[in-house]
């Protein structure tokens, strides 16, 4: 193991702010960038331990704050198969981050070595990347100090999307095995997606040009790189128009653009300049989620969010599996959170006749539940999601003997989708290509996609509270257990509205509670959201 003196000396350069308490949440650590220096250093220590625990397998560290404003930043760990950090280790990250002194930090670090028993002879290996925020380079320096102090081998991949780092981690750890996921390079990522897209688009043509708003973040440049590996529109590809890709001015990141802006404002970014009936998409700051939208001939805005992506994807996969003659050999299901629109759930269960599982908010919960299916589709309403194929599904798709040319084509398309989809984590670039493939196969434009079902009008309200930890939920976050009495008040309000539904849950990253409400009309949804928000605000003050 590394020298205690090295850790103490390095830690002294990154003191913890005395009055701050940190918590590793669903998005790792995320906050104002000027508070993160000590946190990132300590995440580096944990990354080294995690790698040694896995006998030197590669662990990833991503420095990003996704859709947050430019002055924020964050850091999160990526496990060996490209998954989010194992839940039980989140407490270790939190404990290290809150150590009040250098010596206390070393004591906790040594205690973790005793408890976790990492291989003392294994050489730790960490790779890392960052988004385009101005604070990124200084935080990378703090991370490198920790990796050097622990004598960890490391590779700095510079600017990457979060899903690209997840991809690289999995590729590094599966290289040369039967589970090899791809070439462990950025170019390998583009080549894998480009090749799969070409196969899946064979004989098809995109019906529409798509304008992609890249939130003035890292996704813009990476999408431009990816486009070089795709067939041109006239060759059976798609015409992708890239907007909001200015990374030379970091303060423009997520400003009046990006997936979160579109989702919350319910309008097209002012700088996008797109025509009516044009399909549009928006990434977030680190390109791990995407939403689609358009304005119709009457200039009415229509959002095609994660629910619409999930239903589109699930329906296509069912059709392909049926056409390939393998539907009876696989269980296909959809995973949602409480934020999923009630109409989408009804469509999945009643029209597609697929099972739906509801989990708490957070990719780690959705991803885990999706692995219980042979093909598990999960998308949060905010556009973060992917599809997971089980070993059984991949084996069936590979080994099934087609009984007709049509079955052979469907199997080829299923195989291509399993390569096109980034199964490690939600990936905006991969999901963009997936949607383009499906729309091309269905010969749909945005209007046809949107008409599959009608969303119940809904509203999401953010309520600032003194202490978010007062709010405890049950039933996959659909009901409040604490503060006592609030759930009964919410249910009483919901009962007064046609098709009403509402819930409140604490934010994972800030002292706020998010209130979601839906009802039969826009006015009712807005009214219900505001009344529940008032109840939550009073409950937070009393608590």
């Amino acid at each position: 193991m590394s020298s205690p003196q090295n850790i103490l000396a390095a830690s002294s350069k990154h003191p913890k702010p005395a009055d701050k308490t940190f918590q590793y949440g669903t998005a790792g650590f995320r906050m104002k960038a000027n508070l993160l220096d000590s946190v990132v250093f300590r995440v580096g220590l944990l990354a080294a331990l995690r790698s040694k625990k896995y006998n030197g397998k590669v662990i990833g560290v991503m420095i990003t704050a996704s859709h947050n404003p430019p002055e924020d930043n964050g850091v999160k760990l990526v496990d060996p198969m490209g998954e989010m950090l194992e839940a039980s280790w989140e407490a270790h990250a939190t404990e290290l981050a809150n150590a009040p002194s250098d010596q206390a930090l070393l004591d906790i670090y040594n205690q973790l070595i005793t408890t976790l028993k990492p291989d003392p002879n294994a050489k730790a290996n960490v790779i890392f990347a960052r988004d385009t925020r101005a604070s990124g380079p200084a935080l990378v320096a703090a991370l490198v100090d920790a990796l050097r102090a622990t004598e960890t081998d490391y590779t700095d991949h510079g600017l990457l999307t979060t899903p690209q780092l997840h991809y690289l981690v999995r590729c590094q750890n599966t290289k040369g095995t039967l589970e090899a996921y791809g070439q462990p390079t950025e170019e390998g990522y583009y080549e894998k997606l480009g090749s799969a897209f070409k196969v899946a688009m064979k004989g098809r043509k995109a019906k529409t040009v798509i304008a992609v708003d890249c939130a003035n973040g890292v996704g813009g440049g990476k999408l431009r790189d990816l486009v070089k590996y795709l067939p041109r529109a006239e060759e059976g590809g798609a015409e992708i128009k890239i907007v909001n890709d200015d990374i030379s001015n970091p303060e423009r990141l997520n400003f009046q653009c990006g997936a979160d802006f579109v989702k919350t404002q319910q309008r097209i970014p002012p700088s996008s300049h797109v025509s009516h009936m044009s399909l549009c998409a928006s990434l977030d700051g680190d390109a791990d989620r995407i939403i689609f939208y358009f304005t119709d001939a009457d200039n009415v805005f229509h959002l095609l969010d994660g629910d619409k992506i999930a239903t589109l994807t699930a329906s296509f996969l069912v059709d392909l599996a049926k056409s390939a003659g393998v539907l009876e050999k696989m269980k296909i299901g959809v995973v949602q959170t409480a934020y999923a629109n009630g109409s989408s759930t009804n469509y999945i269960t009643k029209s597609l006749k697929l099972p739906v599982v509801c989990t708490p908010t957070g990719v780690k919960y959705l991803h885990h539940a999706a692995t219980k299916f042979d093909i598990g589709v999960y998308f949060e309403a905010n556009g973060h999601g992917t599809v997971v194929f089980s070993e059984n599904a991949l084996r069936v798709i590979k080994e099934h003997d087609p009984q007709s040319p049509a079955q052979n084509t469907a199997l080829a398309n299923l195989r291509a989708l399993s390569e096109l989809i980034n199964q490690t984590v939600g990936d905006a670039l991969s999901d963009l290509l997936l949607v383009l493939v499906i729309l091309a196969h269905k010969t749909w434009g945005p209007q046809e996609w949107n008409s599959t079902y009608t969303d119940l009008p809904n509203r999401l309200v953010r309520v600032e509270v003194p202490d978010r930890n007062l709010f405890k939920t049950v039933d996959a976050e659909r009901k409040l257990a604490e503060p006592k009495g609030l759930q009964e008040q919410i249910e009483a309000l919901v009962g007064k509205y046609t098709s009403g539904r509402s819930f409140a849950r604490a934010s994972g990253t800030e002292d706020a509670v998010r209130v979601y409400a839906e009802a039969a009309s826009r006015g009712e949804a807005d009214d219900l959201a505001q009344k529940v928000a008032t109840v939550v605000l009073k409950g937070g003050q009393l608590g």
Side-chain angles (χ1 to χ4, degrees):
M1 286 292 179
S2 51
S3 158
Q5 289 74 25
N6 288 346
I7 293 176
L8 283 171
S11 178
S12 68
K13 295 160 55 180
H14 306 283
K16 176 188 176 294
D19 58 341
K20 296 295 179 183
T21 301
F22 306 113
Q23 184 175 348
Y24 195 103
T26 54
F29 292 109
R30 192 177 293 178
M31 64 200 77
K32 298 299 179 192
N34 60 5
L35 299 173
L36 263 173
D37 183 71
S38 66
V39 173
V40 173
F41 174 81
R42 293 162 186 218
V43 165
L45 299 182
L46 190 66
L49 279 182
R50 187 75 175 152
S51 178
K52 284 178 174 286
K53 179 66 177 176
Y54 275 95
N55 302 311
K57 285 190 179 294
V58 173
I59 296 296
V61 178
M62 186 70 199
I63 296 175
T64 179
S66 188
H67 60 276
N68 281 38
E71 61 271 19
D72 290 1
N73 216 325
V75 61
K76 52 188 171 184
L77 288 153
V78 181
D79 261 357
M81 288 301 284
E83 329 96 296
M84 311 297 283
L85 176 67
E86 181 185 320
S88 65
W89 278 60
E90 293 178 5
H92 305 323
T94 298
E95 188 178 19
L96 285 170
N98 290 302
S101 66
D102 300 333
Q103 185 59 53
L105 174 64
L106 181 62
D107 291 344
I108 293 170
Y109 179 78
N110 287 332
Q111 182 58 49
L112 287 175
I113 292 172
T114 301
T115 304
L116 300 170
K117 299 180 173 59
D119 183 351
N121 299 313
K123 185 71 172 176
N125 199 335
V126 171
I127 66 174
F128 57 88
R130 62 182 176 87
D131 69 13
T132 56
R133 293 164 196 273
S135 57
L139 295 176
V140 163
L143 175 64
V144 168
D145 280 349
L147 300 179
R148 287 176 174 166
T150 52
E151 299 175 4
T152 297
D153 286 343
Y154 64 87
T155 304
D156 181 354
H157 283 277
L159 295 177
L160 288 179
T161 70
T162 293
Q164 286 178 324
L165 184 71
H166 284 255
Y167 165 88
L168 290 177
V169 170
R170 184 161 178 170
C171 289
Q172 290 273 19
N173 288 318
T174 58
K175 188 177 180 180
T177 72
L178 292 175
E179 292 80 33
Y181 193 64
Q183 289 298 314
T185 62
E186 186 178 344
E187 292 72 24
Y189 169 90
Y190 299 132
E191 288 169 355
K192 181 177 182 179
L193 267 60
S195 297
F197 182 74
K198 189 173 183 179
V199 171
M201 288 290 284
K202 186 177 179 180
R204 309 287 173 171
K205 187 176 181 182
K207 188 177 178 180
T208 180
V209 177
I210 183 165
V212 183
D213 154 36
C214 297
N216 293 319
V218 68
K222 303 309 180 184
L223 179 55
R224 287 194 185 279
D225 289 339
L226 174 59
V227 166
K228 298 171 187 174
Y229 293 80
L230 305 178
R232 295 194 300 270
E234 59 269 23
E235 298 170 338
E239 187 175 345
I240 299 173
K241 176 187 174 186
I242 298 172
V243 297
N244 297 326
D245 62 337
D246 177 13
I247 63 170
S248 60
N249 298 293
E251 69 277 4
R252 295 189 63 188
L253 175 68
N254 294 320
F255 178 69
Q256 293 195 332
C257 60
D260 197 58
F261 172 86
V262 174
K263 173 73 174 168
T264 56
Q265 298 295 316
Q266 300 276 308
R267 62 189 176 101
I268 290 176
S271 53
S272 287
H273 305 301
V274 293
S275 57
H276 298 323
M277 299 306 298
S278 293
L279 181 62
C280 306
S282 285
L283 320 182
D284 66 343
D286 64 338
D288 68 351
R289 59 181 167 119
I290 186 170
I291 56 171
F292 298 81
Y293 47 94
F294 68 101
T295 56
D296 62 23
D298 296 321
N299 202 31
V300 177
F301 175 86
H302 298 275
L303 182 67
L304 299 158
D305 63 3
D307 295 340
K308 292 280 188 180
I309 300 170
T311 53
L312 179 75
T313 302
S315 68
F316 185 60
L317 288 167
V318 168
D319 290 345
L320 270 186
K322 192 180 298 181
S323 298
V326 297
L327 184 59
E328 301 305 316
K329 298 180 179 181
M330 296 186 297
K331 185 177 182 183
I332 302 176
V334 180
V335 185
Q336 297 184 316
T337 72
Y339 287 113
N341 194 278
S343 291
S344 72
T345 308
N346 287 337
Y347 177 77
I348 295 165
T349 55
K350 294 178 181 177
S351 295
L352 301 183
K353 301 190 185 311
L354 290 176
V356 173
V357 173
C358 186
T359 73
T361 302
V363 176
K364 59 188 177 184
Y365 301 113
L366 289 123
H367 193 94
H368 179 73
T371 62
K372 304 301 182 186
F373 296 104
D374 287 311
I375 300 181
V377 180
Y378 75 85
F379 280 87
E380 293 183 292
N382 65 18
H384 192 178
T386 189
V387 182
V388 181
F389 292 77
S390 72
E391 289 183 12
N392 176 61
L394 294 174
R395 184 177 64 254
V396 167
I397 293 167
K398 180 181 180 181
E399 297 177 357
H400 184 73
D401 184 22
Q403 302 301 303
S404 68
Q407 280 197 6
N408 191 48
T409 299
L411 282 168
N413 284 325
L414 274 173
R415 281 192 292 270
L417 289 189
S418 73
E419 293 289 310
L420 179 63
I421 294 164
N422 187 344
Q423 297 182 50
T424 65
V425 73
D427 183 340
L429 304 188
S430 166
D431 293 338
L432 168 66
L433 299 186
L434 172 64
V435 166
L436 292 177
V437 164
I438 298 173
L439 294 179
H441 275 256
K442 289 180 174 289
T443 65
W444 280 3
Q447 189 91 40
E448 293 92 339
W449 178 11
N450 189 50
S451 67
T452 51
Y453 66 87
T454 302
D455 275 327
L456 285 168
N458 58 87
R459 180 63 68 202
L460 184 62
V461 177
R462 177 180 173 275
V463 183
E464 289 191 11
V465 294
D467 182 3
R468 71 178 185 270
N469 295 311
L470 293 175
F471 294 83
K472 310 289 186 186
T473 60
V474 293
D475 190 21
E477 300 181 326
R478 289 176 286 192
K479 294 182 179 179
L480 274 177
E482 294 180 16
K484 298 290 186 185
L486 257 64
Q487 182 59 37
E488 290 76 10
Q489 294 180 56
I490 293 172
E491 289 175 2
L493 288 170
V494 166
K496 298 176 181 178
Y497 295 84
T498 306
S499 301
R501 183 171 74 93
S502 183
F503 65 91
R505 60 172 287 273
S507 166
T509 57
E510 56 185 341
D511 273 327
V513 171
R514 304 194 187 282
V515 171
Y516 176 88
E518 62 185 33
S521 69
R522 165 61 60 201
E524 286 182 297
D526 290 347
D527 193 48
L528 176 58
Q530 290 302 327
K531 286 182 176 175
V532 172
T534 300
V535 167
V536 166
L537 182 61
K538 290 179 180 177
Q541 292 168 344
L542 292 174

